[in-house]
Amino acid sequence: MAVAGETTLEHTPTWVVAAVCSVIVAISLGVERLLHYTGKAIHFSPPYSSPYSLYICAVFVSCLYLKKKGQKPLFEALLKIKEELMLLGFISLLLTVFQDRIATICISEKASKEWLPCKLEEDAASTTSHFQAFFSSPGTSRRLLAEASSSTTSYCATKGMVPLLSATALHHLHIFIFVLAVTHVIICVLTILFGGAKIRQWRIWEDAIQKSESNPEDELKKFTHVQDHAFIRNRFLGIGKDLALLGWVHSFFKQFYASVTRSDYITLRLGFIMTHCRGNPKFNFHKYMIRALEADFKRVVGISWYLWIFVVVFLSLNVAGWHAYFYIAFIPCVLLLAVGTKLEHVINQLAHEVAEKHVAIEGDLVVQPSDNHFWFHRPKIVLYLIHIILFQNAFELAFFFFILVQYKFKSCIMGPIGYIIPRLVIGAFVQFLCSYSTLPLYAIVTQMGSSFKKAIFDEHIQEGITVWAQHARKNQMLKKAANASSHTNNNSQAGTKEAEMVLVDKDKEEAEGSQTRN
């Protein structure tokens, strides 16, 4: 239970919440990276936070199941989730250890009234019993950051000041960080599941190609007109500046309907095979896409350091009257539309290159993959943007449900209903469009870069190549060491011979001198 008279997040300055969160997260990330690079494994469960232990155990059991089934990419993704939960446990540990020290940090009363999420005229009372029952163990007298001794409040009161952050507000911040991380993981999993279901529908096209008896090499002997291909008819709009602008508009609306058609898949697949694996015309492009997407999922599900920076900035902007979260909700939406438009435009560019250079072509239509079609010539930027989009959307939804349960719907920190409904609608729209359009587009279009991903090899081949590379590096290091040793020995032998020559010359000079005296 919250201590009576203590301030909650509703009347805690946003700059205070952001500052405390940034320090705690920075320390946690620093320690986690240090342990990661030194190769030490952490095996601990927070003694005060049983839900973390339950989640970690559940993830561990899932990891064992996926490892047994041979699902290595998903197994590594769940390991990443386990690392995030362990990081959350460490954050909780720091919040518990430093709660008394934070309470003894005092600020002026004027500073405590600046950048407030709610106006002081509002009622500051709120209940915390919902999450207290979830985060406390029955039959124990421990309290999770929810109770602090009255001495910390009186300590600042004697100085005519107020505590930087109350124990109640600190506990609520701890709960919000946990809710945010869990919401992010859930949203990422749902996006991959729904997007993967959409991509698996393309397997029909792949199976039809595999069953066909024609060989792409044989098809190259036939001459066809460029405009006879459905890919060109659907994607090439003409040449000129006005038509180039029209192409961007077409790409924008194309992401909402039939973002990837059968002709798109067949053409992009053939372009990839002819560029990266020409000797294997029956290469299963669909399985390669699935493996590559599962490998990328491991990166998306984690919370990187730059995402925590977004959390700190967003928490500091939640000031009464600013309605910052309403405007922040448009950021993932705008980014998602920009990413979808760019991916569709890459397909249009591939069609434009072929149609602009050729009137008739020999054989089937073959596009030329290139990094030049992507932002800054780096296809990986698209993955980082999708990561940011999903996290910002998770932040919006996590904040809404946290406030709804912790402070109720009518809380002043929730904001007017006219700002709440659009935020929820935008969040649902972003989730739907990212799952059924943007993610499938990413899965196929990013294969149109200049290089291929390691997912092009099967898992056992990847492991064999990794072992071979390790042995090669080891042998190279041993060879360098042997060369250095032989070079040192040669130098020492040469030095010994030079010394012997000097001694011989010296003996000759002494002998000649003695003969002269005689």
Side-chain angles (χ1 to χ4, degrees), residues 99-125:
Q99 66 165 333
D100 292 335
R101 181 61 61 88
I102 294 174
T104 57
I105 301 176
C106 305
I107 59 175
S108 63
E109 187 174 353
K110 180 181 178 181
S112 66
K113 295 180 181 179
E114 296 178 353
W115 288 43
L116 294 177
C118 296
K119 297 180 180 179
L120 290 177
E121 291 78 12
E122 304 266 349
D123 183 15

PDB file of all heavy atoms in Angstrom, residues 99-125:
ATOM      1  N   GLN A  99      16.519   3.158  -2.895  1.00  0.00           N
ATOM      2  CA  GLN A  99      15.299   3.904  -2.595  1.00  0.00           C
ATOM      3  C   GLN A  99      15.485   4.836  -1.403  1.00  0.00           C
ATOM      4  O   GLN A  99      15.025   5.986  -1.426  1.00  0.00           O
ATOM      5  CB  GLN A  99      14.140   2.944  -2.356  1.00  0.00           C
ATOM      6  CG  GLN A  99      14.263   2.069  -1.108  1.00  0.00           C
ATOM      7  CD  GLN A  99      12.943   1.414  -0.749  1.00  0.00           C
ATOM      8  OE1 GLN A  99      11.884   1.954  -1.075  1.00  0.00           O
ATOM      9  NE2 GLN A  99      12.994   0.272  -0.098  1.00  0.00           N
ATOM     10  N   ASP A 100      16.179   4.387  -0.359  1.00  0.00           N
ATOM     11  CA  ASP A 100      16.397   5.259   0.795  1.00  0.00           C
ATOM     12  C   ASP A 100      17.334   6.409   0.445  1.00  0.00           C
ATOM     13  O   ASP A 100      17.139   7.544   0.899  1.00  0.00           O
ATOM     14  CB  ASP A 100      16.973   4.451   1.955  1.00  0.00           C
ATOM     15  CG  ASP A 100      15.971   3.453   2.507  1.00  0.00           C
ATOM     16  OD1 ASP A 100      14.750   3.699   2.350  1.00  0.00           O
ATOM     17  OD2 ASP A 100      16.390   2.414   3.060  1.00  0.00           O
ATOM     18  N   ARG A 101      18.357   6.114  -0.381  1.00  0.00           N
ATOM     19  CA  ARG A 101      19.290   7.171  -0.770  1.00  0.00           C
ATOM     20  C   ARG A 101      18.605   8.214  -1.646  1.00  0.00           C
ATOM     21  O   ARG A 101      18.849   9.416  -1.506  1.00  0.00           O
ATOM     22  CB  ARG A 101      20.480   6.544  -1.515  1.00  0.00           C
ATOM     23  CG  ARG A 101      21.543   7.543  -1.948  1.00  0.00           C
ATOM     24  CD  ARG A 101      22.150   8.262  -0.746  1.00  0.00           C
ATOM     25  NE  ARG A 101      22.790   7.329   0.148  1.00  0.00           N
ATOM     26  CZ  ARG A 101      24.045   6.943   0.044  1.00  0.00           C
ATOM     27  NH1 ARG A 101      24.792   7.402  -0.940  1.00  0.00           N
ATOM     28  NH2 ARG A 101      24.567   6.104   0.920  1.00  0.00           N
ATOM     29  N   ILE A 102      17.735   7.760  -2.559  1.00  0.00           N
ATOM     30  CA  ILE A 102      17.002   8.697  -3.412  1.00  0.00           C
ATOM     31  C   ILE A 102      16.063   9.556  -2.581  1.00  0.00           C
ATOM     32  O   ILE A 102      15.899  10.755  -2.831  1.00  0.00           O
ATOM     33  CB  ILE A 102      16.221   7.927  -4.498  1.00  0.00           C
ATOM     34  CG1 ILE A 102      17.196   7.242  -5.467  1.00  0.00           C
ATOM     35  CG2 ILE A 102      15.290   8.847  -5.271  1.00  0.00           C
ATOM     36  CD1 ILE A 102      16.529   6.341  -6.481  1.00  0.00           C
ATOM     37  N   ALA A 103      15.446   8.948  -1.553  1.00  0.00           N
ATOM     38  CA  ALA A 103      14.512   9.699  -0.711  1.00  0.00           C
ATOM     39  C   ALA A 103      15.209  10.778   0.105  1.00  0.00           C
ATOM     40  O   ALA A 103      14.564  11.744   0.534  1.00  0.00           O
ATOM     41  CB  ALA A 103      13.761   8.745   0.208  1.00  0.00           C
ATOM     42  N   THR A 104      16.502  10.632   0.343  1.00  0.00           N
ATOM     43  CA  THR A 104      17.233  11.638   1.112  1.00  0.00           C
ATOM     44  C   THR A 104      17.745  12.787   0.246  1.00  0.00           C
ATOM     45  O   THR A 104      18.320  13.736   0.764  1.00  0.00           O
ATOM     46  CB  THR A 104      18.425  10.988   1.835  1.00  0.00           C
ATOM     47  OG1 THR A 104      19.268  10.346   0.874  1.00  0.00           O
ATOM     48  CG2 THR A 104      17.935   9.970   2.855  1.00  0.00           C
ATOM     49  N   ILE A 105      17.564  12.678  -1.084  1.00  0.00           N
ATOM     50  CA  ILE A 105      17.926  13.782  -1.976  1.00  0.00           C
ATOM     51  C   ILE A 105      16.782  14.791  -1.962  1.00  0.00           C
ATOM     52  O   ILE A 105      15.638  14.441  -2.285  1.00  0.00           O
ATOM     53  CB  ILE A 105      18.191  13.284  -3.400  1.00  0.00           C
ATOM     54  CG1 ILE A 105      19.322  12.252  -3.399  1.00  0.00           C
ATOM     55  CG2 ILE A 105      18.525  14.446  -4.330  1.00  0.00           C
ATOM     56  CD1 ILE A 105      19.576  11.629  -4.761  1.00  0.00           C
ATOM     57  N   CYS A 106      17.062  16.005  -1.594  1.00  0.00           N
ATOM     58  CA  CYS A 106      16.022  17.022  -1.412  1.00  0.00           C
ATOM     59  C   CYS A 106      16.120  18.088  -2.494  1.00  0.00           C
ATOM     60  O   CYS A 106      17.219  18.418  -2.964  1.00  0.00           O
ATOM     61  CB  CYS A 106      16.135  17.673  -0.036  1.00  0.00           C
ATOM     62  SG  CYS A 106      16.107  16.486   1.336  1.00  0.00           S
ATOM     63  N   ILE A 107      14.979  18.588  -2.876  1.00  0.00           N
ATOM     64  CA  ILE A 107      14.910  19.689  -3.840  1.00  0.00           C
ATOM     65  C   ILE A 107      13.990  20.761  -3.270  1.00  0.00           C
ATOM     66  O   ILE A 107      13.216  20.519  -2.328  1.00  0.00           O
ATOM     67  CB  ILE A 107      14.378  19.210  -5.209  1.00  0.00           C
ATOM     68  CG1 ILE A 107      12.979  18.588  -5.064  1.00  0.00           C
ATOM     69  CG2 ILE A 107      15.340  18.223  -5.842  1.00  0.00           C
ATOM     70  CD1 ILE A 107      12.348  18.192  -6.397  1.00  0.00           C
ATOM     71  N   SER A 108      14.072  21.930  -3.848  1.00  0.00           N
ATOM     72  CA  SER A 108      13.241  23.024  -3.368  1.00  0.00           C
ATOM     73  C   SER A 108      11.778  22.774  -3.726  1.00  0.00           C
ATOM     74  O   SER A 108      11.467  22.062  -4.682  1.00  0.00           O
ATOM     75  CB  SER A 108      13.707  24.349  -3.980  1.00  0.00           C
ATOM     76  OG  SER A 108      13.547  24.328  -5.383  1.00  0.00           O
ATOM     77  N   GLU A 109      10.900  23.390  -2.954  1.00  0.00           N
ATOM     78  CA  GLU A 109       9.472  23.200  -3.198  1.00  0.00           C
ATOM     79  C   GLU A 109       9.058  23.804  -4.536  1.00  0.00           C
ATOM     80  O   GLU A 109       8.157  23.306  -5.213  1.00  0.00           O
ATOM     81  CB  GLU A 109       8.667  23.842  -2.067  1.00  0.00           C
ATOM     82  CG  GLU A 109       7.178  23.550  -2.134  1.00  0.00           C
ATOM     83  CD  GLU A 109       6.435  24.070  -0.919  1.00  0.00           C
ATOM     84  OE1 GLU A 109       7.095  24.533   0.032  1.00  0.00           O
ATOM     85  OE2 GLU A 109       5.192  24.009  -0.935  1.00  0.00           O
ATOM     86  N   LYS A 110       9.751  24.872  -4.947  1.00  0.00           N
ATOM     87  CA  LYS A 110       9.448  25.489  -6.235  1.00  0.00           C
ATOM     88  C   LYS A 110       9.793  24.542  -7.382  1.00  0.00           C
ATOM     89  O   LYS A 110       9.027  24.412  -8.345  1.00  0.00           O
ATOM     90  CB  LYS A 110      10.237  26.798  -6.376  1.00  0.00           C
ATOM     91  CG  LYS A 110       9.983  27.514  -7.697  1.00  0.00           C
ATOM     92  CD  LYS A 110      10.815  28.787  -7.795  1.00  0.00           C
ATOM     93  CE  LYS A 110      10.582  29.477  -9.138  1.00  0.00           C
ATOM     94  NZ  LYS A 110      11.397  30.717  -9.273  1.00  0.00           N
ATOM     95  N   ALA A 111      10.942  23.872  -7.273  1.00  0.00           N
ATOM     96  CA  ALA A 111      11.339  22.932  -8.326  1.00  0.00           C
ATOM     97  C   ALA A 111      10.402  21.734  -8.390  1.00  0.00           C
ATOM     98  O   ALA A 111      10.205  21.156  -9.459  1.00  0.00           O
ATOM     99  CB  ALA A 111      12.763  22.458  -8.093  1.00  0.00           C
ATOM    100  N   SER A 112       9.823  21.357  -7.252  1.00  0.00           N
ATOM    101  CA  SER A 112       8.918  20.211  -7.234  1.00  0.00           C
ATOM    102  C   SER A 112       7.568  20.521  -7.863  1.00  0.00           C
ATOM    103  O   SER A 112       6.765  19.598  -8.068  1.00  0.00           O
ATOM    104  CB  SER A 112       8.703  19.742  -5.788  1.00  0.00           C
ATOM    105  OG  SER A 112       8.008  20.725  -5.043  1.00  0.00           O
ATOM    106  N   LYS A 113       7.296  21.790  -8.170  1.00  0.00           N
ATOM    107  CA  LYS A 113       6.021  22.170  -8.774  1.00  0.00           C
ATOM    108  C   LYS A 113       6.152  22.488 -10.258  1.00  0.00           C
ATOM    109  O   LYS A 113       5.196  22.955 -10.871  1.00  0.00           O
ATOM    110  CB  LYS A 113       5.448  23.384  -8.041  1.00  0.00           C
ATOM    111  CG  LYS A 113       5.086  23.099  -6.590  1.00  0.00           C
ATOM    112  CD  LYS A 113       4.519  24.323  -5.906  1.00  0.00           C
ATOM    113  CE  LYS A 113       4.175  24.030  -4.442  1.00  0.00           C
ATOM    114  NZ  LYS A 113       3.628  25.226  -3.748  1.00  0.00           N
ATOM    115  N   GLU A 114       7.325  22.255 -10.824  1.00  0.00           N
ATOM    116  CA  GLU A 114       7.537  22.525 -12.244  1.00  0.00           C
ATOM    117  C   GLU A 114       7.477  21.220 -13.040  1.00  0.00           C
ATOM    118  O   GLU A 114       7.920  20.175 -12.584  1.00  0.00           O
ATOM    119  CB  GLU A 114       8.896  23.197 -12.464  1.00  0.00           C
ATOM    120  CG  GLU A 114       9.004  24.572 -11.804  1.00  0.00           C
ATOM    121  CD  GLU A 114      10.378  25.180 -11.996  1.00  0.00           C
ATOM    122  OE1 GLU A 114      11.266  24.478 -12.522  1.00  0.00           O
ATOM    123  OE2 GLU A 114      10.568  26.361 -11.619  1.00  0.00           O
ATOM    124  N   TRP A 115       6.922  21.304 -14.251  1.00  0.00           N
ATOM    125  CA  TRP A 115       6.804  20.163 -15.161  1.00  0.00           C
ATOM    126  C   TRP A 115       6.031  19.020 -14.509  1.00  0.00           C
ATOM    127  O   TRP A 115       6.476  17.880 -14.475  1.00  0.00           O
ATOM    128  CB  TRP A 115       8.189  19.678 -15.596  1.00  0.00           C
ATOM    129  CG  TRP A 115       8.887  20.607 -16.547  1.00  0.00           C
ATOM    130  CD1 TRP A 115       8.943  21.966 -16.468  1.00  0.00           C
ATOM    131  CD2 TRP A 115       9.614  20.243 -17.712  1.00  0.00           C
ATOM    132  NE1 TRP A 115       9.671  22.487 -17.498  1.00  0.00           N
ATOM    133  CE2 TRP A 115      10.108  21.442 -18.281  1.00  0.00           C
ATOM    134  CE3 TRP A 115       9.930  19.040 -18.314  1.00  0.00           C
ATOM    135  CZ2 TRP A 115      10.861  21.452 -19.439  1.00  0.00           C
ATOM    136  CZ3 TRP A 115      10.693  19.058 -19.467  1.00  0.00           C
ATOM    137  CH2 TRP A 115      11.142  20.257 -20.023  1.00  0.00           C
ATOM    138  N   LEU A 116       4.848  19.309 -14.023  1.00  0.00           N
ATOM    139  CA  LEU A 116       4.021  18.287 -13.384  1.00  0.00           C
ATOM    140  C   LEU A 116       3.070  17.649 -14.405  1.00  0.00           C
ATOM    141  O   LEU A 116       2.525  18.346 -15.265  1.00  0.00           O
ATOM    142  CB  LEU A 116       3.205  18.896 -12.246  1.00  0.00           C
ATOM    143  CG  LEU A 116       3.983  19.429 -11.037  1.00  0.00           C
ATOM    144  CD1 LEU A 116       3.030  20.069 -10.035  1.00  0.00           C
ATOM    145  CD2 LEU A 116       4.765  18.310 -10.382  1.00  0.00           C
ATOM    146  N   PRO A 117       2.835  16.344 -14.309  1.00  0.00           N
ATOM    147  CA  PRO A 117       1.866  15.708 -15.210  1.00  0.00           C
ATOM    148  C   PRO A 117       0.432  16.162 -14.943  1.00  0.00           C
ATOM    149  O   PRO A 117      -0.392  16.152 -15.858  1.00  0.00           O
ATOM    150  CB  PRO A 117       2.026  14.213 -14.911  1.00  0.00           C
ATOM    151  CG  PRO A 117       3.351  14.089 -14.256  1.00  0.00           C
ATOM    152  CD  PRO A 117       3.559  15.355 -13.501  1.00  0.00           C
ATOM    153  N   CYS A 118       0.137  16.509 -13.700  1.00  0.00           N
ATOM    154  CA  CYS A 118      -1.193  16.974 -13.324  1.00  0.00           C
ATOM    155  C   CYS A 118      -1.066  18.298 -12.583  1.00  0.00           C
ATOM    156  O   CYS A 118      -0.081  18.545 -11.882  1.00  0.00           O
ATOM    157  CB  CYS A 118      -1.903  15.961 -12.421  1.00  0.00           C
ATOM    158  SG  CYS A 118      -2.253  14.378 -13.213  1.00  0.00           S
ATOM    159  N   LYS A 119      -2.059  19.131 -12.720  1.00  0.00           N
ATOM    160  CA  LYS A 119      -2.076  20.397 -11.987  1.00  0.00           C
ATOM    161  C   LYS A 119      -2.301  20.132 -10.511  1.00  0.00           C
ATOM    162  O   LYS A 119      -2.946  19.154 -10.128  1.00  0.00           O
ATOM    163  CB  LYS A 119      -3.174  21.306 -12.535  1.00  0.00           C
ATOM    164  CG  LYS A 119      -2.950  21.707 -13.997  1.00  0.00           C
ATOM    165  CD  LYS A 119      -4.072  22.602 -14.498  1.00  0.00           C
ATOM    166  CE  LYS A 119      -3.832  22.980 -15.963  1.00  0.00           C
ATOM    167  NZ  LYS A 119      -4.936  23.847 -16.476  1.00  0.00           N
ATOM    168  N   LEU A 120      -1.796  21.006  -9.669  1.00  0.00           N
ATOM    169  CA  LEU A 120      -1.868  20.796  -8.230  1.00  0.00           C
ATOM    170  C   LEU A 120      -3.288  20.873  -7.716  1.00  0.00           C
ATOM    171  O   LEU A 120      -3.594  20.351  -6.646  1.00  0.00           O
ATOM    172  CB  LEU A 120      -1.005  21.846  -7.509  1.00  0.00           C
ATOM    173  CG  LEU A 120       0.504  21.683  -7.680  1.00  0.00           C
ATOM    174  CD1 LEU A 120       1.229  22.814  -6.975  1.00  0.00           C
ATOM    175  CD2 LEU A 120       0.946  20.349  -7.113  1.00  0.00           C
ATOM    176  N   GLU A 121      -4.199  21.539  -8.450  1.00  0.00           N
ATOM    177  CA  GLU A 121      -5.582  21.623  -7.998  1.00  0.00           C
ATOM    178  C   GLU A 121      -6.291  20.285  -8.085  1.00  0.00           C
ATOM    179  O   GLU A 121      -7.317  20.083  -7.442  1.00  0.00           O
ATOM    180  CB  GLU A 121      -6.358  22.650  -8.836  1.00  0.00           C
ATOM    181  CG  GLU A 121      -5.940  24.091  -8.607  1.00  0.00           C
ATOM    182  CD  GLU A 121      -4.656  24.418  -9.342  1.00  0.00           C
ATOM    183  OE1 GLU A 121      -4.249  23.600 -10.193  1.00  0.00           O
ATOM    184  OE2 GLU A 121      -4.048  25.474  -9.060  1.00  0.00           O
ATOM    185  N   GLU A 122      -5.730  19.392  -8.890  1.00  0.00           N
ATOM    186  CA  GLU A 122      -6.368  18.087  -9.054  1.00  0.00           C
ATOM    187  C   GLU A 122      -6.176  17.268  -7.789  1.00  0.00           C
ATOM    188  O   GLU A 122      -5.267  17.475  -7.006  1.00  0.00           O
ATOM    189  CB  GLU A 122      -5.750  17.353 -10.243  1.00  0.00           C
ATOM    190  CG  GLU A 122      -5.828  18.145 -11.532  1.00  0.00           C
ATOM    191  CD  GLU A 122      -7.051  17.782 -12.331  1.00  0.00           C
ATOM    192  OE1 GLU A 122      -7.687  16.799 -11.966  1.00  0.00           O
ATOM    193  OE2 GLU A 122      -7.365  18.497 -13.284  1.00  0.00           O
ATOM    194  N   ASP A 123      -7.046  16.316  -7.601  1.00  0.00           N
ATOM    195  CA  ASP A 123      -6.949  15.419  -6.457  1.00  0.00           C
ATOM    196  C   ASP A 123      -5.794  14.464  -6.667  1.00  0.00           C
ATOM    197  O   ASP A 123      -5.730  13.760  -7.671  1.00  0.00           O
ATOM    198  CB  ASP A 123      -8.250  14.634  -6.276  1.00  0.00           C
ATOM    199  CG  ASP A 123      -8.214  13.742  -5.047  1.00  0.00           C
ATOM    200  OD1 ASP A 123      -7.321  13.957  -4.202  1.00  0.00           O
ATOM    201  OD2 ASP A 123      -9.084  12.851  -4.957  1.00  0.00           O
ATOM    202  N   ALA A 124      -4.856  14.415  -5.738  1.00  0.00           N
ATOM    203  CA  ALA A 124      -3.653  13.600  -5.877  1.00  0.00           C
ATOM    204  C   ALA A 124      -3.822  12.188  -5.354  1.00  0.00           C
ATOM    205  O   ALA A 124      -2.905  11.384  -5.410  1.00  0.00           O
ATOM    206  CB  ALA A 124      -2.480  14.270  -5.170  1.00  0.00           C
ATOM    207  N   ALA A 125      -4.973  11.879  -4.797  1.00  0.00           N
ATOM    208  CA  ALA A 125      -5.143  10.553  -4.196  1.00  0.00           C
ATOM    209  C   ALA A 125      -5.319   9.497  -5.266  1.00  0.00           C
ATOM    210  O   ALA A 125      -6.002   9.693  -6.253  1.00  0.00           O
ATOM    211  CB  ALA A 125      -6.372  10.574  -3.282  1.00  0.00           C
TER     212      ALA A 125
END
